[in-house]
Amino acid sequence: MKAFITTLSTKKLSLIDEFWSWASQFKLKIESALLTWFERAGGEASKLLRSLLHKSNQWWYFLNHPEIPPDNNLAERTLRESRHKKKS
């Protein structure tokens, strides 16, 4: 049993390491693309790209905290259920 738990823990750590590696590479690719286009863009496109760059930490929040879902479906479902119960 102990060997099984050790193997499972090792695999779990490996998946976590793999996720963090992917997330780091993904962030770098996106930020690099934004910077490349920011240098080439002008006018409104430049404003949009600047905004995206400044708010990029908000994008990465769900990558940095994978235990938090990236949507609010649970909250919406809960509200929908409570309204449905009120109408009944």
Side-chain angles (χ1 to χ4, degrees):
M1 184 69 165
K2 188 176 181 179
F4 173 75
I5 292 172
T6 302
T7 302
L8 187 61
S9 295
T10 303
K11 285 185 179 186
K12 190 174 182 179
L13 289 174
S14 175
L15 286 173
I16 291 169
D17 289 342
E18 189 177 325
F19 170 80
W20 289 120
S21 175
W22 171 84
S24 296
Q25 291 174 11
F26 180 74
K27 289 180 200 179
L28 290 174
K29 285 179 185 178
I30 296 297
E31 288 172 351
S32 174
L34 285 173
L35 287 170
T36 298
W37 283 104
F38 180 72
E39 293 170 0
R40 297 178 185 174
E44 294 300 312
S46 179
K47 289 180 188 177
L48 173 63
L49 291 169
R50 185 181 307 113
S51 174
L52 292 173
L53 282 168
H54 289 303
K55 295 178 182 180
S56 65
N57 63 330
Q58 294 172 11
W59 296 10
W60 311 135
Y61 191 81
F62 300 106
L63 290 176
N64 294 334
H65 303 279
E67 69 277 7
I68 298 173
D71 57 36
N72 66 346
N73 290 343
L74 179 60
E76 289 178 3
R77 250 191 322 274
T78 303
L79 287 172
R80 198 174 313 122
E81 289 174 7
S82 66
R83 288 181 183 240
H84 179 69
K85 288 179 183 178
K86 277 185 176 181
K87 289 182 181 180
S88 298

